[in-house]
Amino acid sequence: AGSRDALVARALALLHAQMARRWTTEDLARELAVSRSAFAERFTRTIGEPPMRYLARQRFARATAQLKETSDPVARIAHMVGYESEEAFSRAFRRRYGAPPAAWRRANGAGET
């Protein structure tokens, strides 16, 4: 859906290229040279969810892929997806998946590369 809207496509490219960056909707709008409110409305209308909710979902998707496909330490994965600490990442991961990242990795037979 984002590719049909050039502005949203640029936003998606920025978010995916710089996933670890501490984005806010305002920062993203500033990078795109548009107002925060106009950008947020356009992104939400095009993608179906607000920019920061989309980013959080993408961060977890990347994190679970890394947990499945690599044996990288949880701290490295946390940093890669934008968390400043392993503890904050683990708390958020547990809220979303019901288990901390290391336990989730073991339960899914992943990370054994």
Side-chain angles (χ1 to χ4, degrees), residues 14-16 18-24 28 43 49-61 81:
L14 284 168
L15 290 173
H16 285 272
Q18 299 176 47
M19 190 163 287
R21 182 171 167 178
R22 296 189 72 189
W23 288 107
T24 65
L28 196 50
F43 188 98
E49 63 187 332
M52 295 305 102
R53 186 176 305 155
Y54 172 87
L55 178 59
R57 191 169 50 78
Q58 293 303 309
R59 284 176 167 164
F60 281 116
V81 298

Side-chain angles (χ1 to χ4, degrees), residues 45-108:
R45 184 179 66 239
T46 303
I47 300 300
E49 63 187 332
M52 295 305 102
R53 186 176 305 155
Y54 172 87
L55 178 59
R57 191 169 50 78
Q58 293 303 309
R59 284 176 167 164
F60 281 116
R62 185 171 291 175
T64 57
Q66 288 296 113
L67 287 166
K68 284 180 182 178
E69 298 166 7
T70 74
S71 58
D72 288 351
V74 172
R76 180 178 297 153
I77 294 169
H79 180 73
M80 180 182 51
V81 298
Y83 283 84
E84 291 187 10
S85 73
E86 180 179 355
E87 294 78 16
F89 172 69
S90 291
R91 282 191 305 273
F93 193 95
R94 179 183 213 122
R95 277 193 306 272
R96 186 169 187 104
Y97 295 101
W104 184 92
R105 175 184 262 169
R106 285 189 303 274
N108 286 279

Side-chain angles (χ1 to χ4, degrees), residues 1-14 32 39 42-43 46:
S3 64
R4 288 181 269 144
D5 183 305
L7 181 75
V8 173
R10 287 181 23 227
L12 293 171
L14 284 168
L32 299 167
F39 167 69
R42 192 163 162 181
F43 188 98
T46 303

